[in-house]
Amino acid sequence: MTSTTRPSPSVASRRAALGDPGYQAFVILRVGFTVAPILFGLDKFTNLLVDWPAYLAPWINDIVPGSAQAAMYAVGVVEIVAGLVVALAPRFGGWLVAGWLAGIIVNLLTIPDYYDIALRDFGLLLGAVALARLAQRYHGERQPH
């Protein structure tokens, strides 16, 4: 006589969640919008990827105190915090990142030759909104580890 073992309800629930394409999209966006802002935020302090002060519109540079690089330090802190908020509270963090990206887009649209980057950031903004909406759907469900 063979006995069959069934997974516990929590294991079955985790497997079902992992098989749900919506939940998979939520996890992908959550990881991406956690890691990317943190890495870009850290790079504001080193300028390894790009000369970040060049991305600051002159009119913004004129109204913020200090240098463009000092402004980028503040931007870096905000981006790191935004990434951490996405990790801890994606329902709020998705909207925070979307709002931040909207500000970046306005900045970029006022600098000639940066329209392609503004368009890319608009795509990222849409992804952040999708994350916030998916987080609303999956909030409170036990997440697989």
Side-chain angles (χ1 to χ4, degrees):
M1 173 156 70
T2 43
S3 68
T4 349
T5 59
R6 294 185 182 175
S8 70
S10 67
V11 171
S13 172
R14 288 182 191 157
R15 285 185 188 154
L18 287 174
D20 175 10
Y23 185 75
Q24 293 169 0
F26 167 67
V27 171
I28 290 166
L29 290 169
R30 186 177 188 180
V31 170
F33 282 106
T34 295
V35 173
I38 292 171
L39 291 178
F40 284 123
L42 290 171
D43 195 58
K44 298 300 187 291
F45 294 90
T46 63
N47 293 310
L48 291 175
L49 297 175
V50 70
D51 180 31
W52 290 109
Y55 287 84
L56 188 63
W59 67 272
I60 295 177
N61 191 34
D62 291 343
I63 60 175
V64 297
S67 67
Q69 182 59 56
M72 285 299 122
Y73 295 148
V75 166
V77 170
V78 170
E79 290 175 346
I80 292 166
V81 169
L84 294 172
V85 172
V86 168
L88 300 172
R91 284 193 311 169
F92 176 71
W95 291 114
L96 176 63
V97 169
W100 184 250
L101 286 164
I104 291 171
I105 291 166
V106 168
N107 169 72
L108 291 171
L109 288 175
T110 63
I111 306 172
D113 300 326
Y114 285 88
Y115 305 126
D116 57 331
I117 299 170
L119 181 60
R120 179 211 55 200
D121 285 354
F122 180 71
L124 289 170
L125 182 149
L126 295 177
V129 170
L131 168 64
R133 296 302 299 141
L134 287 167
Q136 183 70 33
R137 162 66 178 90
Y138 293 104
H139 177 75
E141 289 188 12
R142 183 178 178 106
Q143 297 173 8
H145 296 301

